Amino acid sequence: MNTSDNNLKILLNGLLKENPIFVLLLGMCPTLGTTSSALNGLSMGLATTFVLICSNMAISSLKNLIPDKVRIPAYIVVIATFVTMVEMVMQAYIPALFSSLGLFIPLIVVNCIVLGRAETFAAQNNVFKSMLDGVGIGAGFTFALTLLGTVRELLGTGKVFGFPVYPESYGILIMVLAPGAFIALGYLIAVINKIRKA
């Protein structure tokens, strides 16, 4: 396999084969907690993607300088740096969205997807491949959160990204509540698995 094929495989890996939500079932806390609307899902996905890309690149470039005994705390410090940047930018420029996502933005620091990719991929590969991995896994995570948020918002309120599709009175209230997240996610995982096996 040549280099460009290998790079493409790394990039597409997070979307299909190792989608963190639909296949690996990682990061369930923000998945279930922030996807009451498509905008929230998309925003959380993009924030996590930024942290993934930057932390993967930083950890990959610093891997030979970090002593083995303190690698996990060092990874967490690197990840926390980028999460703090995201938090401050969101708080300054989009405070309403920041308030909507609330505690889930700082919790990106301990998101098992971000820490897992740092340990299993970024610490083993070069900066460019680590960046591609961050883009691929982040895109898969963003796709999953946006899809789940879209389904829940559509069924619950009759809207998609705030635009009305049908009257809100026909919406199924449970879909925008906590149980609706589990129901929608279960059906989406079933559909994705069916598509992957076809």
Side-chain angles (χ1 to χ4, degrees), residues 55-187:
S55 63
N56 267 12
M57 291 172 69
I59 288 164
S60 179
S61 61
L62 296 170
K63 66 185 176 211
N64 296 327
L65 302 173
I66 299 171
D68 213 34
K69 287 181 180 178
V70 294
R71 71 180 192 286
I72 300 298
Y75 296 166
I76 289 172
V77 169
V78 169
I79 293 164
T81 302
F82 294 111
V83 171
T84 303
M85 289 167 61
V86 167
E87 194 175 2
M88 291 172 82
V89 167
M90 284 183 80
Q91 210 167 4
Y93 295 103
I94 37 177
L97 186 60
F98 178 77
S99 297
S100 177
L101 294 174
L103 186 64
F104 291 101
I105 294 295
L107 281 176
I108 295 172
V109 174
V110 290
N111 189 317
C112 53
I113 299 167
V114 181
L115 193 57
R117 295 323 285 181
E119 175 73 11
T120 61
F121 198 93
Q124 317 291 330
N125 291 281
N126 65 37
V127 176
F128 182 69
K129 284 185 178 178
S130 297
M131 182 198 71
L132 290 179
D133 180 70
V135 171
I137 296 290
F141 185 67
T142 304
F143 165 71
L145 262 62
T146 307
L147 181 61
L148 182 58
T150 301
V151 168
R152 288 182 65 197
E153 185 179 13
L154 179 64
L155 295 176
T157 65
K159 298 175 183 175
V160 175
F161 285 101
F163 296 104
V165 176
Y166 59 85
E168 192 170 346
S169 57
Y170 294 119
I172 307 164
L173 179 61
I174 197 170
M175 294 311 291
V176 290
L177 300 175
F182 286 98
I183 294 166
L185 181 62
Y187 278 109

